[in-house]
Amino acid sequence: MFPSGFAWGAATAAYQIEGGWDSDDKGPSIWDTFCHREGEEGRVFAAQNGDVSCNSYELWRKDLQCVQELGLTHYRMSLSWARLLPDGTTGTVNPKGVRYYNTVINDLVACNVSPMVTLYHFDLPQALQDRGGWKSPDMATLFDSYARFCFEEFGDRVKLWITINEPYVCAKLGHEDGSHAPGVKQPGVAAYLVGHNMLRAHARAWHSYDSLFRSKQNGAVSLALNSDWVEPLDPASAGDISAAERFLAFTLGWFAWPVFATGDYPPAMRSAVDAQSARLGYGGVDSRLPGFSEDEPALLGTADFFALNYYTSRKVRSRGGGAGGDGVSMKSDLDAEGVLDPSWPLCGVSWLAVVPRGLRNLLGYIKETFNNPAVYVTENGFSQVGAVEIDDVQRCRFYHDTIMEVAEAIEDGVRVRGYFAWSLLDNFEWADGFSVRFGLFHVDFSEDGRPRTMYRSGREYAKIIAKHRPGPNADKGKAEKLL
Ligand code: GBH
């Protein structure tokens, strides 16, 4: 069912697990600022923060043990930019940060676990936010310098790279809704600019890898895109059909189209933004959705594989033709609304309905739309809220059913190369703080040693892996097959 060399992984992100927020000369990131800002209640659940979290900065070896207990072949982690480069630039390198990640990467490799490393998972150095953050066009070259630094330092051992995790979430939650750091609320304008600069940054980093590192390091680089699977609420309604198409264009298509399809934004997105600007009399000279310049490094083809974060599905209906009641905003541009099917089970957080089949559908869509790329499912998971159940049978089912859908997708001809559960550990779930638990391991945040305890779903996942991964000596001596 699963091809040899299939990656069985789990994922984490630096700010969500590391703690050590100001240890050993680390610079502050926008999430430190966002969580610490006083007098603005209600940003993060119970005013919690990631100052200590799982304390993986000090307790990494405990995480390594978790990785081994699961029998993972791969571990997806992110680097804290501000831990490596406290002011965001390569002008000041923090050797203690470099040493930390070298320890982590060396330990993984020594245990025969391949690291997949994300350069950016939501935690911009505050010093760069002070220079305009992702709204600034300068971010493309700043990110490129950081990426080159990381390829140089770690690329001899890291063969799978993600430049940016979920540019959609950074743009939309960080700069449209303001529910994530940096907490900017400039609806209908900032998110498009941020998304644009993230794409420009990604393209530069990929080109740098391609021209300066690929020949000696032989790795692969992509960006991780989150998307729901969507279907029209009423499959007989032309309005709902085009609403579902727009919905996908504004989420997955926003970033996938430029990189995998045409080098530009999806036509359904471009026309919707421009039509709504005209309707609302928005006076900008340029479209709120920027255009790509000829002088920039090309975007098309700047990913060596497709990295997909899939959590849930939506039924989509039209909101009725650009009424514009929301003023200038992404919501009014999109003019479509995603709803849950009442038959889908929920799992604690309002946005996450359990729809394993949606992953197979989305993988099929990616195969057809983007010319059958190699795909890694870089995140997929299911959360717990409220009373902790170590014996989490519902999540066992979820993982089992979802992984079976991945197997079906492979049968369908989708070139799925790996699957990463979100997450290895319970951790700081952004605006939901510690109230939402996604771990395969429970973490007791009330104790200093942050003890990790495997959930039943961890045991279930370990069993699935043991059944499918090749024996310890099977692939010895062969170069790892990435794509
Ligand atoms: C991932 O995003 C992140 O990469 C990861 O860090 C995170 O811990 C994980 O999900 C679990 O959430 O609250 O109605 O505004 C997943 C994609 C898109 C899911 C935004 C939540 C917010 C819906 N996310 N969505 S709402």
mmCIF file with all atom_site columns, all heavy atoms in Angstrom, residues 16 121-122 165-166 169 173 177 226 309 311 350-351 379 422 427 429-430 438, ligand 1:
data_model
loop_
_atom_site.group_PDB
_atom_site.id
_atom_site.type_symbol
_atom_site.label_atom_id
_atom_site.label_alt_id
_atom_site.label_comp_id
_atom_site.label_asym_id
_atom_site.label_entity_id
_atom_site.label_seq_id
_atom_site.pdbx_PDB_ins_code
_atom_site.Cartn_x
_atom_site.Cartn_y
_atom_site.Cartn_z
_atom_site.occupancy
_atom_site.B_iso_or_equiv
_atom_site.pdbx_formal_charge
_atom_site.auth_seq_id
_atom_site.auth_comp_id
_atom_site.auth_asym_id
_atom_site.auth_atom_id
_atom_site.pdbx_PDB_model_num
ATOM   1   N N   . GLN A 1 16  ? 5.648   26.723 19.434 1.00 0.00 ? 16  GLN A N   1
ATOM   2   C CA  . GLN A 1 16  ? 4.629   25.946 20.127 1.00 0.00 ? 16  GLN A CA  1
ATOM   3   C C   . GLN A 1 16  ? 5.209   24.996 21.183 1.00 0.00 ? 16  GLN A C   1
ATOM   4   O O   . GLN A 1 16  ? 4.501   24.615 22.106 1.00 0.00 ? 16  GLN A O   1
ATOM   5   C CB  . GLN A 1 16  ? 3.788   25.171 19.108 1.00 0.00 ? 16  GLN A CB  1
ATOM   6   C CG  . GLN A 1 16  ? 2.971   26.111 18.224 1.00 0.00 ? 16  GLN A CG  1
ATOM   7   C CD  . GLN A 1 16  ? 2.090   25.383 17.231 1.00 0.00 ? 16  GLN A CD  1
ATOM   8   O OE1 . GLN A 1 16  ? 2.516   25.059 16.135 1.00 0.00 ? 16  GLN A OE1 1
ATOM   9   N NE2 . GLN A 1 16  ? 0.854   25.112 17.614 1.00 0.00 ? 16  GLN A NE2 1
ATOM   10  N N   . HIS A 1 121 ? 7.637   29.170 10.833 1.00 0.00 ? 121 HIS A N   1
ATOM   11  C CA  . HIS A 1 121 ? 6.311   28.715 11.283 1.00 0.00 ? 121 HIS A CA  1
ATOM   12  C C   . HIS A 1 121 ? 5.733   29.788 12.216 1.00 0.00 ? 121 HIS A C   1
ATOM   13  O O   . HIS A 1 121 ? 5.693   29.630 13.437 1.00 0.00 ? 121 HIS A O   1
ATOM   14  C CB  . HIS A 1 121 ? 6.438   27.357 11.978 1.00 0.00 ? 121 HIS A CB  1
ATOM   15  C CG  . HIS A 1 121 ? 5.139   26.598 12.097 1.00 0.00 ? 121 HIS A CG  1
ATOM   16  N ND1 . HIS A 1 121 ? 4.971   25.314 11.620 1.00 0.00 ? 121 HIS A ND1 1
ATOM   17  C CD2 . HIS A 1 121 ? 3.941   26.939 12.626 1.00 0.00 ? 121 HIS A CD2 1
ATOM   18  C CE1 . HIS A 1 121 ? 3.733   24.899 11.864 1.00 0.00 ? 121 HIS A CE1 1
ATOM   19  N NE2 . HIS A 1 121 ? 3.084   25.870 12.481 1.00 0.00 ? 121 HIS A NE2 1
ATOM   20  N N   . PHE A 1 122 ? 5.359   30.903 11.647 1.00 0.00 ? 122 PHE A N   1
ATOM   21  C CA  . PHE A 1 122 ? 4.598   32.004 12.283 1.00 0.00 ? 122 PHE A CA  1
ATOM   22  C C   . PHE A 1 122 ? 5.394   32.939 13.210 1.00 0.00 ? 122 PHE A C   1
ATOM   23  O O   . PHE A 1 122 ? 4.806   33.874 13.752 1.00 0.00 ? 122 PHE A O   1
ATOM   24  C CB  . PHE A 1 122 ? 3.403   31.490 13.116 1.00 0.00 ? 122 PHE A CB  1
ATOM   25  C CG  . PHE A 1 122 ? 2.409   30.608 12.392 1.00 0.00 ? 122 PHE A CG  1
ATOM   26  C CD1 . PHE A 1 122 ? 1.393   29.976 13.120 1.00 0.00 ? 122 PHE A CD1 1
ATOM   27  C CD2 . PHE A 1 122 ? 2.442   30.402 11.030 1.00 0.00 ? 122 PHE A CD2 1
ATOM   28  C CE1 . PHE A 1 122 ? 0.445   29.168 12.495 1.00 0.00 ? 122 PHE A CE1 1
ATOM   29  C CE2 . PHE A 1 122 ? 1.501   29.592 10.382 1.00 0.00 ? 122 PHE A CE2 1
ATOM   30  C CZ  . PHE A 1 122 ? 0.510   28.966 11.119 1.00 0.00 ? 122 PHE A CZ  1
ATOM   31  N N   . ASN A 1 165 ? 5.531   27.925 6.494  1.00 0.00 ? 165 ASN A N   1
ATOM   32  C CA  . ASN A 1 165 ? 4.358   27.141 6.847  1.00 0.00 ? 165 ASN A CA  1
ATOM   33  C C   . ASN A 1 165 ? 3.105   28.004 6.718  1.00 0.00 ? 165 ASN A C   1
ATOM   34  O O   . ASN A 1 165 ? 3.018   29.074 7.326  1.00 0.00 ? 165 ASN A O   1
ATOM   35  C CB  . ASN A 1 165 ? 4.457   26.651 8.291  1.00 0.00 ? 165 ASN A CB  1
ATOM   36  C CG  . ASN A 1 165 ? 3.241   25.820 8.683  1.00 0.00 ? 165 ASN A CG  1
ATOM   37  O OD1 . ASN A 1 165 ? 3.057   24.711 8.174  1.00 0.00 ? 165 ASN A OD1 1
ATOM   38  N ND2 . ASN A 1 165 ? 2.395   26.355 9.550  1.00 0.00 ? 165 ASN A ND2 1
ATOM   39  N N   . GLU A 1 166 ? 2.158   27.541 5.919  1.00 0.00 ? 166 GLU A N   1
ATOM   40  C CA  . GLU A 1 166 ? 0.832   28.147 5.841  1.00 0.00 ? 166 GLU A CA  1
ATOM   41  C C   . GLU A 1 166 ? 0.830   29.669 5.673  1.00 0.00 ? 166 GLU A C   1
ATOM   42  O O   . GLU A 1 166 ? 0.371   30.406 6.549  1.00 0.00 ? 166 GLU A O   1
ATOM   43  C CB  . GLU A 1 166 ? 0.015   27.759 7.074  1.00 0.00 ? 166 GLU A CB  1
ATOM   44  C CG  . GLU A 1 166 ? -0.170  26.266 7.203  1.00 0.00 ? 166 GLU A CG  1
ATOM   45  C CD  . GLU A 1 166 ? -1.077  25.856 8.363  1.00 0.00 ? 166 GLU A CD  1
ATOM   46  O OE1 . GLU A 1 166 ? -1.389  26.713 9.211  1.00 0.00 ? 166 GLU A OE1 1
ATOM   47  O OE2 . GLU A 1 166 ? -1.476  24.679 8.404  1.00 0.00 ? 166 GLU A OE2 1
ATOM   48  N N   . VAL A 1 169 ? -2.431  31.294 6.655  1.00 0.00 ? 169 VAL A N   1
ATOM   49  C CA  . VAL A 1 169 ? -2.737  31.589 8.055  1.00 0.00 ? 169 VAL A CA  1
ATOM   50  C C   . VAL A 1 169 ? -2.007  32.858 8.510  1.00 0.00 ? 169 VAL A C   1
ATOM   51  O O   . VAL A 1 169 ? -2.582  33.709 9.198  1.00 0.00 ? 169 VAL A O   1
ATOM   52  C CB  . VAL A 1 169 ? -2.398  30.374 8.953  1.00 0.00 ? 169 VAL A CB  1
ATOM   53  C CG1 . VAL A 1 169 ? -2.476  30.736 10.430 1.00 0.00 ? 169 VAL A CG1 1
ATOM   54  C CG2 . VAL A 1 169 ? -3.338  29.210 8.641  1.00 0.00 ? 169 VAL A CG2 1
ATOM   55  N N   . LEU A 1 173 ? -5.008  35.247 9.350  1.00 0.00 ? 173 LEU A N   1
ATOM   56  C CA  . LEU A 1 173 ? -5.200  35.382 10.794 1.00 0.00 ? 173 LEU A CA  1
ATOM   57  C C   . LEU A 1 173 ? -4.311  36.482 11.380 1.00 0.00 ? 173 LEU A C   1
ATOM   58  O O   . LEU A 1 173 ? -4.692  37.163 12.323 1.00 0.00 ? 173 LEU A O   1
ATOM   59  C CB  . LEU A 1 173 ? -4.966  34.036 11.511 1.00 0.00 ? 173 LEU A CB  1
ATOM   60  C CG  . LEU A 1 173 ? -6.171  33.082 11.487 1.00 0.00 ? 173 LEU A CG  1
ATOM   61  C CD1 . LEU A 1 173 ? -6.512  32.615 10.091 1.00 0.00 ? 173 LEU A CD1 1
ATOM   62  C CD2 . LEU A 1 173 ? -5.960  31.898 12.406 1.00 0.00 ? 173 LEU A CD2 1
ATOM   63  N N   . ASP A 1 177 ? -7.710  39.225 10.254 1.00 0.00 ? 177 ASP A N   1
ATOM   64  C CA  . ASP A 1 177 ? -8.504  39.026 11.471 1.00 0.00 ? 177 ASP A CA  1
ATOM   65  C C   . ASP A 1 177 ? -7.795  39.589 12.705 1.00 0.00 ? 177 ASP A C   1
ATOM   66  O O   . ASP A 1 177 ? -8.441  39.961 13.680 1.00 0.00 ? 177 ASP A O   1
ATOM   67  C CB  . ASP A 1 177 ? -8.753  37.532 11.719 1.00 0.00 ? 177 ASP A CB  1
ATOM   68  C CG  . ASP A 1 177 ? -9.367  36.826 10.511 1.00 0.00 ? 177 ASP A CG  1
ATOM   69  O OD1 . ASP A 1 177 ? -9.924  37.524 9.632  1.00 0.00 ? 177 ASP A OD1 1
ATOM   70  O OD2 . ASP A 1 177 ? -9.272  35.584 10.434 1.00 0.00 ? 177 ASP A OD2 1
ATOM   71  N N   . ASN A 1 226 ? -2.003  25.008 3.684  1.00 0.00 ? 226 ASN A N   1
ATOM   72  C CA  . ASN A 1 226 ? -3.155  24.415 4.358  1.00 0.00 ? 226 ASN A CA  1
ATOM   73  C C   . ASN A 1 226 ? -4.387  24.580 3.495  1.00 0.00 ? 226 ASN A C   1
ATOM   74  O O   . ASN A 1 226 ? -4.558  25.599 2.827  1.00 0.00 ? 226 ASN A O   1
ATOM   75  C CB  . ASN A 1 226 ? -3.399  25.097 5.712  1.00 0.00 ? 226 ASN A CB  1
ATOM   76  C CG  . ASN A 1 226 ? -3.690  26.574 5.572  1.00 0.00 ? 226 ASN A CG  1
ATOM   77  O OD1 . ASN A 1 226 ? -2.799  27.348 5.210  1.00 0.00 ? 226 ASN A OD1 1
ATOM   78  N ND2 . ASN A 1 226 ? -4.908  26.983 5.821  1.00 0.00 ? 226 ASN A ND2 1
ATOM   79  N N   . ASN A 1 309 ? -1.096  20.636 4.406  1.00 0.00 ? 309 ASN A N   1
ATOM   80  C CA  . ASN A 1 309 ? -1.632  20.506 5.760  1.00 0.00 ? 309 ASN A CA  1
ATOM   81  C C   . ASN A 1 309 ? -3.145  20.385 5.631  1.00 0.00 ? 309 ASN A C   1
ATOM   82  O O   . ASN A 1 309 ? -3.820  21.333 5.226  1.00 0.00 ? 309 ASN A O   1
ATOM   83  C CB  . ASN A 1 309 ? -1.296  21.738 6.606  1.00 0.00 ? 309 ASN A CB  1
ATOM   84  C CG  . ASN A 1 309 ? 0.190   21.892 6.864  1.00 0.00 ? 309 ASN A CG  1
ATOM   85  O OD1 . ASN A 1 309 ? 0.992   21.021 6.510  1.00 0.00 ? 309 ASN A OD1 1
ATOM   86  N ND2 . ASN A 1 309 ? 0.566   22.997 7.482  1.00 0.00 ? 309 ASN A ND2 1
ATOM   87  N N   . TYR A 1 311 ? -6.774  19.400 7.536  1.00 0.00 ? 311 TYR A N   1
ATOM   88  C CA  . TYR A 1 311 ? -7.473  19.129 8.794  1.00 0.00 ? 311 TYR A CA  1
ATOM   89  C C   . TYR A 1 311 ? -8.943  18.793 8.618  1.00 0.00 ? 311 TYR A C   1
ATOM   90  O O   . TYR A 1 311 ? -9.479  17.946 9.305  1.00 0.00 ? 311 TYR A O   1
ATOM   91  C CB  . TYR A 1 311 ? -7.342  20.324 9.754  1.00 0.00 ? 311 TYR A CB  1
ATOM   92  C CG  . TYR A 1 311 ? -5.975  20.404 10.379 1.00 0.00 ? 311 TYR A CG  1
ATOM   93  C CD1 . TYR A 1 311 ? -4.943  21.107 9.755  1.00 0.00 ? 311 TYR A CD1 1
ATOM   94  C CD2 . TYR A 1 311 ? -5.689  19.750 11.569 1.00 0.00 ? 311 TYR A CD2 1
ATOM   95  C CE1 . TYR A 1 311 ? -3.675  21.151 10.308 1.00 0.00 ? 311 TYR A CE1 1
ATOM   96  C CE2 . TYR A 1 311 ? -4.420  19.794 12.128 1.00 0.00 ? 311 TYR A CE2 1
ATOM   97  C CZ  . TYR A 1 311 ? -3.424  20.488 11.502 1.00 0.00 ? 311 TYR A CZ  1
ATOM   98  O OH  . TYR A 1 311 ? -2.166  20.526 12.045 1.00 0.00 ? 311 TYR A OH  1
ATOM   99  N N   . SER A 1 350 ? -14.116 24.431 17.238 1.00 0.00 ? 350 SER A N   1
ATOM   100 C CA  . SER A 1 350 ? -15.282 24.672 16.378 1.00 0.00 ? 350 SER A CA  1
ATOM   101 C C   . SER A 1 350 ? -14.979 24.454 14.900 1.00 0.00 ? 350 SER A C   1
ATOM   102 O O   . SER A 1 350 ? -15.857 24.093 14.128 1.00 0.00 ? 350 SER A O   1
ATOM   103 C CB  . SER A 1 350 ? -15.764 26.101 16.575 1.00 0.00 ? 350 SER A CB  1
ATOM   104 O OG  . SER A 1 350 ? -14.733 26.989 16.175 1.00 0.00 ? 350 SER A OG  1
ATOM   105 N N   . TRP A 1 351 ? -13.723 24.665 14.502 1.00 0.00 ? 351 TRP A N   1
ATOM   106 C CA  . TRP A 1 351 ? -13.434 24.622 13.063 1.00 0.00 ? 351 TRP A CA  1
ATOM   107 C C   . TRP A 1 351 ? -13.123 23.227 12.549 1.00 0.00 ? 351 TRP A C   1
ATOM   108 O O   . TRP A 1 351 ? -13.066 23.001 11.355 1.00 0.00 ? 351 TRP A O   1
ATOM   109 C CB  . TRP A 1 351 ? -12.275 25.572 12.724 1.00 0.00 ? 351 TRP A CB  1
ATOM   110 C CG  . TRP A 1 351 ? -11.004 25.333 13.478 1.00 0.00 ? 351 TRP A CG  1
ATOM   111 C CD1 . TRP A 1 351 ? -10.644 25.892 14.675 1.00 0.00 ? 351 TRP A CD1 1
ATOM   112 C CD2 . TRP A 1 351 ? -9.919  24.467 13.105 1.00 0.00 ? 351 TRP A CD2 1
ATOM   113 N NE1 . TRP A 1 351 ? -9.407  25.429 15.056 1.00 0.00 ? 351 TRP A NE1 1
ATOM   114 C CE2 . TRP A 1 351 ? -8.938  24.555 14.119 1.00 0.00 ? 351 TRP A CE2 1
ATOM   115 C CE3 . TRP A 1 351 ? -9.674  23.636 12.006 1.00 0.00 ? 351 TRP A CE3 1
ATOM   116 C CZ2 . TRP A 1 351 ? -7.738  23.840 14.074 1.00 0.00 ? 351 TRP A CZ2 1
ATOM   117 C CZ3 . TRP A 1 351 ? -8.480  22.926 11.963 1.00 0.00 ? 351 TRP A CZ3 1
ATOM   118 C CH2 . TRP A 1 351 ? -7.529  23.026 12.989 1.00 0.00 ? 351 TRP A CH2 1
ATOM   119 N N   . GLU A 1 379 ? 0.938   17.992 7.660  1.00 0.00 ? 379 GLU A N   1
ATOM   120 C CA  . GLU A 1 379 ? 0.193   18.053 8.925  1.00 0.00 ? 379 GLU A CA  1
ATOM   121 C C   . GLU A 1 379 ? -1.186  17.455 8.729  1.00 0.00 ? 379 GLU A C   1
ATOM   122 O O   . GLU A 1 379 ? -1.825  17.665 7.690  1.00 0.00 ? 379 GLU A O   1
ATOM   123 C CB  . GLU A 1 379 ? -0.026  19.501 9.409  1.00 0.00 ? 379 GLU A CB  1
ATOM   124 C CG  . GLU A 1 379 ? 1.166   20.164 10.016 1.00 0.00 ? 379 GLU A CG  1
ATOM   125 C CD  . GLU A 1 379 ? 0.875   21.605 10.451 1.00 0.00 ? 379 GLU A CD  1
ATOM   126 O OE1 . GLU A 1 379 ? -0.270  21.913 10.849 1.00 0.00 ? 379 GLU A OE1 1
ATOM   127 O OE2 . GLU A 1 379 ? 1.801   22.422 10.373 1.00 0.00 ? 379 GLU A OE2 1
ATOM   128 N N   . TRP A 1 422 ? -0.007  15.859 13.169 1.00 0.00 ? 422 TRP A N   1
ATOM   129 C CA  . TRP A 1 422 ? 0.112   17.026 14.032 1.00 0.00 ? 422 TRP A CA  1
ATOM   130 C C   . TRP A 1 422 ? -0.605  16.693 15.316 1.00 0.00 ? 422 TRP A C   1
ATOM   131 O O   . TRP A 1 422 ? -1.802  16.535 15.281 1.00 0.00 ? 422 TRP A O   1
ATOM   132 C CB  . TRP A 1 422 ? -0.516  18.287 13.402 1.00 0.00 ? 422 TRP A CB  1
ATOM   133 C CG  . TRP A 1 422 ? -0.306  19.444 14.325 1.00 0.00 ? 422 TRP A CG  1
ATOM   134 C CD1 . TRP A 1 422 ? -1.126  19.862 15.335 1.00 0.00 ? 422 TRP A CD1 1
ATOM   135 C CD2 . TRP A 1 422 ? 0.843   20.310 14.344 1.00 0.00 ? 422 TRP A CD2 1
ATOM   136 N NE1 . TRP A 1 422 ? -0.555  20.914 15.996 1.00 0.00 ? 422 TRP A NE1 1
ATOM   137 C CE2 . TRP A 1 422 ? 0.631   21.208 15.416 1.00 0.00 ? 422 TRP A CE2 1
ATOM   138 C CE3 . TRP A 1 422 ? 2.014   20.393 13.592 1.00 0.00 ? 422 TRP A CE3 1
ATOM   139 C CZ2 . TRP A 1 422 ? 1.571   22.194 15.741 1.00 0.00 ? 422 TRP A CZ2 1
ATOM   140 C CZ3 . TRP A 1 422 ? 2.922   21.372 13.909 1.00 0.00 ? 422 TRP A CZ3 1
ATOM   141 C CH2 . TRP A 1 422 ? 2.699   22.268 14.974 1.00 0.00 ? 422 TRP A CH2 1
ATOM   142 N N   . ASN A 1 427 ? 0.778   21.066 22.868 1.00 0.00 ? 427 ASN A N   1
ATOM   143 C CA  . ASN A 1 427 ? 1.632   22.250 22.852 1.00 0.00 ? 427 ASN A CA  1
ATOM   144 C C   . ASN A 1 427 ? 0.821   23.528 22.855 1.00 0.00 ? 427 ASN A C   1
ATOM   145 O O   . ASN A 1 427 ? -0.401  23.493 23.011 1.00 0.00 ? 427 ASN A O   1
ATOM   146 C CB  . ASN A 1 427 ? 2.592   22.190 21.651 1.00 0.00 ? 427 ASN A CB  1
ATOM   147 C CG  . ASN A 1 427 ? 1.867   22.132 20.316 1.00 0.00 ? 427 ASN A CG  1
ATOM   148 O OD1 . ASN A 1 427 ? 0.939   22.904 20.078 1.00 0.00 ? 427 ASN A OD1 1
ATOM   149 N ND2 . ASN A 1 427 ? 2.280   21.208 19.441 1.00 0.00 ? 427 ASN A ND2 1
ATOM   150 N N   . GLU A 1 429 ? -1.234  26.043 21.453 1.00 0.00 ? 429 GLU A N   1
ATOM   151 C CA  . GLU A 1 429 ? -2.041  26.051 20.236 1.00 0.00 ? 429 GLU A CA  1
ATOM   152 C C   . GLU A 1 429 ? -2.457  27.489 19.888 1.00 0.00 ? 429 GLU A C   1
ATOM   153 O O   . GLU A 1 429 ? -3.614  27.835 19.825 1.00 0.00 ? 429 GLU A O   1
ATOM   154 C CB  . GLU A 1 429 ? -3.232  25.096 20.416 1.00 0.00 ? 429 GLU A CB  1
ATOM   155 C CG  . GLU A 1 429 ? -4.283  25.043 19.322 1.00 0.00 ? 429 GLU A CG  1
ATOM   156 C CD  . GLU A 1 429 ? -3.788  24.730 17.914 1.00 0.00 ? 429 GLU A CD  1
ATOM   157 O OE1 . GLU A 1 429 ? -2.648  24.260 17.736 1.00 0.00 ? 429 GLU A OE1 1
ATOM   158 O OE2 . GLU A 1 429 ? -4.569  24.976 16.986 1.00 0.00 ? 429 GLU A OE2 1
ATOM   159 N N   . TRP A 1 430 ? -1.458  28.354 19.689 1.00 0.00 ? 430 TRP A N   1
ATOM   160 C CA  . TRP A 1 430 ? -1.660  29.743 19.257 1.00 0.00 ? 430 TRP A CA  1
ATOM   161 C C   . TRP A 1 430 ? -2.744  30.433 20.090 1.00 0.00 ? 430 TRP A C   1
ATOM   162 O O   . TRP A 1 430 ? -2.659  30.387 21.308 1.00 0.00 ? 430 TRP A O   1
ATOM   163 C CB  . TRP A 1 430 ? -1.947  29.782 17.745 1.00 0.00 ? 430 TRP A CB  1
ATOM   164 C CG  . TRP A 1 430 ? -0.902  29.021 16.957 1.00 0.00 ? 430 TRP A CG  1
ATOM   165 C CD1 . TRP A 1 430 ? -1.090  27.884 16.219 1.00 0.00 ? 430 TRP A CD1 1
ATOM   166 C CD2 . TRP A 1 430 ? 0.521   29.297 16.854 1.00 0.00 ? 430 TRP A CD2 1
ATOM   167 N NE1 . TRP A 1 430 ? 0.108   27.450 15.675 1.00 0.00 ? 430 TRP A NE1 1
ATOM   168 C CE2 . TRP A 1 430 ? 1.109   28.286 16.040 1.00 0.00 ? 430 TRP A CE2 1
ATOM   169 C CE3 . TRP A 1 430 ? 1.351   30.289 17.379 1.00 0.00 ? 430 TRP A CE3 1
ATOM   170 C CZ2 . TRP A 1 430 ? 2.471   28.264 15.746 1.00 0.00 ? 430 TRP A CZ2 1
ATOM   171 C CZ3 . TRP A 1 430 ? 2.716   30.265 17.077 1.00 0.00 ? 430 TRP A CZ3 1
ATOM   172 C CH2 . TRP A 1 430 ? 3.245   29.266 16.275 1.00 0.00 ? 430 TRP A CH2 1
ATOM   173 N N   . PHE A 1 438 ? -3.323  18.720 20.754 1.00 0.00 ? 438 PHE A N   1
ATOM   174 C CA  . PHE A 1 438 ? -3.193  17.980 19.498 1.00 0.00 ? 438 PHE A CA  1
ATOM   175 C C   . PHE A 1 438 ? -2.156  16.858 19.583 1.00 0.00 ? 438 PHE A C   1
ATOM   176 O O   . PHE A 1 438 ? -1.850  16.220 18.583 1.00 0.00 ? 438 PHE A O   1
ATOM   177 C CB  . PHE A 1 438 ? -2.764  18.935 18.373 1.00 0.00 ? 438 PHE A CB  1
ATOM   178 C CG  . PHE A 1 438 ? -3.899  19.573 17.612 1.00 0.00 ? 438 PHE A CG  1
ATOM   179 C CD1 . PHE A 1 438 ? -4.360  20.840 17.944 1.00 0.00 ? 438 PHE A CD1 1
ATOM   180 C CD2 . PHE A 1 438 ? -4.501  18.905 16.539 1.00 0.00 ? 438 PHE A CD2 1
ATOM   181 C CE1 . PHE A 1 438 ? -5.395  21.435 17.229 1.00 0.00 ? 438 PHE A CE1 1
ATOM   182 C CE2 . PHE A 1 438 ? -5.530  19.498 15.820 1.00 0.00 ? 438 PHE A CE2 1
ATOM   183 C CZ  . PHE A 1 438 ? -5.981  20.763 16.172 1.00 0.00 ? 438 PHE A CZ  1
HETATM 184 C C1  . GBH B 2 .   ? -2.033  24.340 11.645 1.00 0.00 ? 1   GBH B C1  1
HETATM 185 O O1  . GBH B 2 .   ? -2.881  25.227 10.973 1.00 0.00 ? 1   GBH B O1  1
HETATM 186 C C2  . GBH B 2 .   ? -0.772  25.020 12.122 1.00 0.00 ? 1   GBH B C2  1
HETATM 187 O O2  . GBH B 2 .   ? 0.258   24.882 11.162 1.00 0.00 ? 1   GBH B O2  1
HETATM 188 C C3  . GBH B 2 .   ? -0.294  24.473 13.442 1.00 0.00 ? 1   GBH B C3  1
HETATM 189 O O3  . GBH B 2 .   ? 0.706   25.298 13.958 1.00 0.00 ? 1   GBH B O3  1
HETATM 190 C C4  . GBH B 2 .   ? -1.453  24.331 14.393 1.00 0.00 ? 1   GBH B C4  1
HETATM 191 O O4  . GBH B 2 .   ? -1.072  23.978 15.681 1.00 0.00 ? 1   GBH B O4  1
HETATM 192 C C5  . GBH B 2 .   ? -2.393  23.316 13.795 1.00 0.00 ? 1   GBH B C5  1
HETATM 193 O O5  . GBH B 2 .   ? -2.844  23.782 12.590 1.00 0.00 ? 1   GBH B O5  1
HETATM 194 C C6  . GBH B 2 .   ? -3.640  23.032 14.627 1.00 0.00 ? 1   GBH B C6  1
HETATM 195 O O6  . GBH B 2 .   ? -4.497  24.142 14.628 1.00 0.00 ? 1   GBH B O6  1
HETATM 196 O O7  . GBH B 2 .   ? -10.470 29.687 14.433 1.00 0.00 ? 1   GBH B O7  1
HETATM 197 O O8  . GBH B 2 .   ? -12.254 29.831 12.791 1.00 0.00 ? 1   GBH B O8  1
HETATM 198 O O9  . GBH B 2 .   ? -10.342 31.319 12.621 1.00 0.00 ? 1   GBH B O9  1
HETATM 199 C C7  . GBH B 2 .   ? -4.056  24.589 10.492 1.00 0.00 ? 1   GBH B C7  1
HETATM 200 C C8  . GBH B 2 .   ? -4.940  25.479 9.642  1.00 0.00 ? 1   GBH B C8  1
HETATM 201 C C9  . GBH B 2 .   ? -6.320  27.389 9.601  1.00 0.00 ? 1   GBH B C9  1
HETATM 202 C C10 . GBH B 2 .   ? -6.763  25.729 11.195 1.00 0.00 ? 1   GBH B C10 1
HETATM 203 C C11 . GBH B 2 .   ? -7.057  28.404 10.421 1.00 0.00 ? 1   GBH B C11 1
HETATM 204 C C12 . GBH B 2 .   ? -7.534  26.717 12.046 1.00 0.00 ? 1   GBH B C12 1
HETATM 205 C C13 . GBH B 2 .   ? -8.658  28.794 12.122 1.00 0.00 ? 1   GBH B C13 1
HETATM 206 C C14 . GBH B 2 .   ? -10.123 28.786 12.005 1.00 0.00 ? 1   GBH B C14 1
HETATM 207 N N1  . GBH B 2 .   ? -5.725  26.389 10.463 1.00 0.00 ? 1   GBH B N1  1
HETATM 208 N N2  . GBH B 2 .   ? -8.088  27.779 11.224 1.00 0.00 ? 1   GBH B N2  1
HETATM 209 S S1  . GBH B 2 .   ? -10.855 30.008 13.046 1.00 0.00 ? 1   GBH B S1  1
#
